[in-house]
Amino acid sequence: MFDKMIFNVHLRSPDQTRRVIEAEHLQWCTEGERGWWQSSALENLTGISVKIVESRMQVKCSLHKQFTRILGGRLDNTGRFTLSEARATARALFGRWDTDIGDARLTHFEIGLNLPMSRAPTDYIALAVSVCRGREMFCDANFEKHRQKTTLKGRTVKKYFKLYDKSHEAEQKHRPCAPCVLRAETVYRRQDVPLDVFLSPAYSGRMADTFYRDWAGMVFARRVQGAKGVKVSQMERAARIMEVGAERYAREAYDEWKAGRLTDKQYRTMREFARDWEKTSCLYAFEADPLEVEYRSALQAEFARAVL
């Protein structure tokens, strides 16, 4: 489930520093009187970015990609990746450097699931409205429409959500990937957690449970169905009330009327519709799209496999 991570490591001796330099083929860099060790162009092949300033090492990598690199020599994060595999991968990295995982503190991480779907991921993304108790999702302007949606992610936001087309991302990077893979991902920034604590079954299990609750609660756009004889215009009014509530709907109608955008008759119809909503609401119901049902089923199935 865990993908990109950034963590800082305290190197306790020159020997530890030397072992990391040799293992990651770091190069010496200078600027004025400052000097540091950092990854060379080989990081494109290893998938690990390392920078050492004095006794402090910063590492950026995808645990998922490191797992596939260890197993098969390639960087790939399009498949399944369990919590136990993440722990084993982290231990392997620190074992290679001969450093203590307890000397590392995590500052940034991503947790997510790759969901195999029956249709193009953009179809599901287009229906996504909000996640995690009402956090609205927006189309990311850096991508084609409905390729990716995120919640607000300004500098001060420590946790945000991404829903994107994993298959398209892999295709753009010329990497093999199954078709129709949708990725749901939560990004945590500006964190400060000991890495050994974070990877413990108790802590990582809680993070996984939080991830599932957040994404299981995603709200999809739904169609309103009315009882027999209900007009389309009435269903449209009902859909707005079911979204914002009768009180706000009536207030919006009044504001539109005062601004001259509604006739007296239109305003009266809307006002009376809101007034009678408590009696007539039983005539309307939201209908879940089949794509929403499929998403929830895929999320549940993949989560059950990932928390091993």
Side-chain angles (χ1 to χ4, degrees), residues 146-160:
H146 301 320
R147 287 294 183 192
Q148 176 167 299
K149 278 187 177 180
T150 73
T151 56
L152 293 176
K153 53 178 181 176
R155 289 184 180 181
T156 60
V157 176
K158 291 185 177 182
K159 176 183 177 182
Y160 69 91

Side-chain angles (χ1 to χ4, degrees), residues 100-169:
D100 187 351
I101 198 169
D103 290 331
R105 300 191 73 86
L106 187 67
T107 61
H108 177 112
F109 67 93
E110 299 171 351
I111 178 171
L113 286 174
N114 297 326
L115 308 177
M117 311 304 288
S118 66
R119 289 172 50 176
T122 51
D123 292 345
Y124 306 85
I125 297 170
L127 293 176
V129 175
S130 65
V131 70
C132 186
R133 300 178 299 279
R135 293 178 64 171
E136 187 175 357
M137 303 199 78
F138 304 91
C139 278
D140 194 320
N142 294 318
F143 298 85
E144 297 174 19
K145 190 174 182 180
H146 301 320
R147 287 294 183 192
Q148 176 167 299
K149 278 187 177 180
T150 73
T151 56
L152 293 176
K153 53 178 181 176
R155 289 184 180 181
T156 60
V157 176
K158 291 185 177 182
K159 176 183 177 182
Y160 69 91
F161 301 86
K162 292 199 310 184
L163 186 69
Y164 64 96
D165 185 342
K166 188 69 177 178
S167 297
H168 179 73
E169 179 193 60

Side-chain angles (χ1 to χ4, degrees), residues 6-242:
I6 301 176
F7 50 87
N8 299 319
V9 184
H10 174 60
L11 299 173
R12 294 186 175 275
S13 69
D15 286 342
Q16 281 190 339
T17 302
R18 177 178 52 78
R19 282 191 290 270
V20 175
I21 291 170
E22 293 174 353
E24 299 304 328
H25 307 284
L26 304 186
Q27 60 186 7
W28 180 250
C29 301
T30 60
E31 183 179 357
E33 297 181 356
R34 295 174 60 247
W36 66 92
W37 293 96
Q38 73 176 33
S39 299
S40 65
L42 281 175
E43 73 174 71
N44 295 324
L45 300 177
T46 65
I48 301 178
S49 174
V50 180
K51 183 177 181 179
I52 300 177
V53 180
E54 297 178 349
S55 62
R56 179 178 177 273
M57 174 172 71
Q58 184 182 73
V59 180
K60 300 178 183 179
C61 70
S62 161
L63 278 189
H64 194 164
K65 289 181 180 179
Q66 291 307 304
F67 174 72
T68 58
R69 178 190 171 208
I70 292 170
L71 283 187
R74 63 191 179 92
L75 301 173
D76 179 24
N77 64 351
T78 60
R80 186 175 296 132
F81 187 48
T82 68
L83 293 181
S84 57
E85 289 167 343
R87 297 184 195 107
T89 303
R91 286 194 295 268
L93 283 178
F94 279 81
R96 198 175 94 189
W97 299 329
D98 195 20
T99 54
D100 187 351
I101 198 169
D103 290 331
R105 300 191 73 86
L106 187 67
T107 61
H108 177 112
F109 67 93
E110 299 171 351
I111 178 171
L113 286 174
N114 297 326
L115 308 177
M117 311 304 288
S118 66
R119 289 172 50 176
T122 51
D123 292 345
Y124 306 85
I125 297 170
L127 293 176
V129 175
S130 65
V131 70
C132 186
R133 300 178 299 279
R135 293 178 64 171
E136 187 175 357
M137 303 199 78
F138 304 91
C139 278
D140 194 320
N142 294 318
F143 298 85
E144 297 174 19
K145 190 174 182 180
H146 301 320
R147 287 294 183 192
Q148 176 167 299
K149 278 187 177 180
T150 73
T151 56
L152 293 176
K153 53 178 181 176
R155 289 184 180 181
T156 60
V157 176
K158 291 185 177 182
K159 176 183 177 182
Y160 69 91
F161 301 86
K162 292 199 310 184
L163 186 69
Y164 64 96
D165 185 342
K166 188 69 177 178
S167 297
H168 179 73
E169 179 193 60
E171 180 184 345
Q172 294 297 104
K173 296 180 179 179
H174 307 290
R175 295 174 181 166
C177 180
C180 303
V181 176
L182 175 70
R183 182 163 178 85
E185 186 172 271
T186 307
V187 181
Y188 290 83
R189 304 185 292 188
R190 297 167 59 201
Q191 305 295 303
D192 185 17
V193 185
L195 189 56
D196 57 344
V197 172
F198 178 84
L199 291 173
S200 67
Y203 194 102
S204 59
R206 287 198 301 273
M207 296 304 303
D209 289 343
T210 298
F211 167 86
Y212 182 78
R213 285 196 304 272
D214 290 342
W215 285 100
M218 185 162 72
V219 174
F220 285 76
R222 291 181 172 183
R223 293 172 296 180
V224 171
Q225 293 296 319
K228 187 175 180 180
V230 170
K231 299 178 181 178
V232 172
S233 60
Q234 291 173 314
M235 285 193 288
E236 290 174 349
R237 289 194 286 270
R240 184 58 181 166
I241 289 181
M242 293 168 80

